[in-house]
Amino acid sequence: SKKAKNALSSIPHDRLLVETDCPYMAPEPNRGKRNDSGNIVYTLGAFAELMGVTRDEAAEITAQNAERLFGILLWLTHFHSIPSFSGKM
């Protein structure tokens, strides 16, 4: 939505996280279907476009933010093993 995109553009990059917990708000191209964590690549793609970075950079930024917020270590290599993540959609 335009409101969400406007809000996102005003948030500093070091405060952004991504999630897929809303089962009824699947991102394009899966709008109308049940949402699941497999759609995170589309959410990251939308973030990346609005942030002016690549999807991989958006993944790195949001992973570092989650690590800092939750005190955990994420393994980004897991994301890179997903074919649609490192390539174009």
Side-chain angles (χ1 to χ4, degrees):
S1 77
K2 288 184 181 184
K3 286 182 182 181
K5 289 178 182 180
N6 287 338
L8 177 62
S9 66
S10 68
I11 298 171
H13 290 183
D14 68 342
R15 299 290 188 244
L16 292 172
L17 299 172
V18 292
E19 59 88 18
T20 59
D21 287 342
C22 186
Y24 304 107
M25 291 184 67
E28 293 295 341
N30 295 319
R31 185 78 68 210
K33 299 177 184 172
R34 185 169 175 82
N35 197 18
D36 63 45
S37 60
N39 288 326
I40 198 80
V41 296
Y42 303 111
T43 304
L44 278 169
F47 269 37
E49 185 178 326
L50 291 169
M51 293 165 60
V53 300
T54 68
R55 188 175 25 214
D56 286 345
E57 289 169 328
E60 181 69 29
I61 290 167
T62 56
Q64 288 175 358
N65 294 346
E67 289 172 350
R68 194 173 51 255
L69 177 64
F70 298 114
I72 58 174
L73 180 61
L74 299 175
W75 297 97
L76 284 179
T77 53
H78 167 74
F79 290 114
H80 295 290
S81 67
I82 302 170
S84 64
F85 186 80
S86 57
K88 292 193 179 239
M89 291 199 236

